[in-house]
Amino acid sequence: MQTDSEHEWWASHASLLVTDLAGNHLDLPDNVRAYMISGTPHFAEAADVMRKGVPAMSLPQNPMHAGGPMRALLTDLNAWISDGIKPPASRVPMRAHGTLVAAQGAVPMDIPGLPYAGIHTLAAFSDQSVLPPKEIGRYPVFVPKADNDGMAIAGIRQLALAVPRATYTAWNPRAQGFGPTALYPLQGAVVPFAPTEAARKEVHDPRLSIAERYADDGAYVAAVRREAARQVAERILLPEDAERVVEAAKQGKLAKLGQ
């Protein structure tokens, strides 16, 4: 069983897990499971340099972490080993599913405040028979395809992504003056939805506003509760974590919880 944050698919060429060296689709063996925790940075608790007054990231830092699904998957792994109960099917972007694509065009480019430019880490291969080694080519690297909100379609989508009030990305470009053509290491970004239809239209935001998605706070909490129950049934969320995230949604703290 292999788990990765979504950041690894942008910064550590994780697509090579499910493609051959020409970039073609590869199926995973039946005794292997792979999961991408969508919308997550590499490490959510890394120091936030923006809070220290150094605007090295272009966008606000993504607070998401993978605690919920990782606890569920660890339980699934234990059941697989101890009792032969197969875990949920792999959930990673795949070329054959149309969810693993070239970086250019992977994310909508018309979302205000989301400066998508297809930045990702390339994978070179080199001639090791000479010193220093000489680059002789590059492997094809692909990234997760995003939906109209700018978030990965494939993978395990935690409650904050499945019932969203903001766009969560696993990438965050460096700010102007800090090498803006590169990704900021290990971090993702968050871009909130507009509160109302009028507010989003004013800035030409194609993402539905919070008010257009949920009639009121009760409707939002109900949607979180339904999705939490579905994820428990699919064994990618533990019942105790489902209760915790529903309570956080009631208090308006779901994003702060990192779920």
Side-chain angles (χ1 to χ4, degrees):
M1 183 181 287
Q2 174 163 321
T3 62
D4 286 299
S5 76
E6 188 187 331
H7 183 81
E8 318 315 315
W9 294 73
W10 292 90
S12 300
H13 27 76
S15 66
L16 295 174
L17 175 70
V18 291
T19 64
D20 64 20
L21 300 185
N24 300 311
H25 170 86
L26 283 181
D27 285 319
L28 293 171
D30 185 58
N31 64 340
V32 170
R33 294 293 187 275
Y35 306 97
M36 180 184 81
I37 315 301
S38 305
T40 52
H42 177 82
F43 186 50
E45 299 302 320
D48 185 347
V49 296
M50 296 187 77
R51 292 193 196 124
K52 297 180 179 180
V54 182
M57 299 181 206
S58 291
L59 300 169
Q61 187 180 24
N62 184 342
M64 296 286 290
H65 63 75
M70 288 296 288
R71 286 186 287 274
L73 292 173
L74 184 59
T75 302
D76 295 333
L77 179 60
N78 184 62
W80 198 10
I81 294 169
S82 301
D83 305 315
I85 300 172
K86 289 188 176 184
S90 294
R91 295 196 182 193
V92 292
M94 290 281 205
R95 294 288 287 157
H97 300 165
T99 54
L100 188 63
V101 298
Q104 288 70 28
V107 178
M109 300 182 67
D110 57 349
I111 299 175
L114 197 68
Y116 180 71
I119 303 171
H120 63 293
T121 300
L122 304 174
F125 58 92
S126 57
D127 180 357
Q128 298 290 317
S129 67
V130 297
L131 291 176
K134 180 180 179 182
E135 180 178 323
I136 56 177
R138 288 180 175 173
Y139 298 113
V141 173
F142 303 94
V143 299
K145 181 176 177 58
D147 61 17
N148 292 335
D149 289 329
M151 294 184 283
I153 296 169
I156 294 178
R157 290 165 60 102
Q158 299 184 81
L159 276 296
L161 274 74
V163 190
R165 295 199 292 188
T167 292
Y168 295 90
T169 76
W171 49 271
N172 199 330
R174 289 180 176 271
Q176 291 295 324
F178 294 88
T181 59
L183 292 177
Y184 189 86
L186 308 182
Q187 296 305 309
V190 57
V191 182
F193 297 155
T196 65
E197 181 180 7
R200 77 170 178 86
K201 287 184 175 179
E202 184 177 351
V203 295
H204 305 290
D205 192 339
R207 302 172 300 167
L208 291 178
S209 67
I210 292 174
E212 290 174 285
R213 294 168 189 264
Y214 316 108
D216 52 30
D217 289 344
Y220 167 69
V221 172
V224 171
R225 183 179 287 108
R226 287 193 299 272
E227 178 62 21
R230 187 185 67 80
Q231 293 195 9
V232 169
E234 293 181 356
R235 298 164 55 212
I236 57 174
L237 186 67
L238 296 176
E240 54 267 40
D241 280 327
E243 294 176 6
R244 187 167 58 96
V245 295
V246 169
E247 186 59 34
K250 291 179 182 178
Q251 299 175 16
K253 298 179 179 179
L254 187 58
K256 292 181 180 179
L257 188 64
Q259 289 292 332

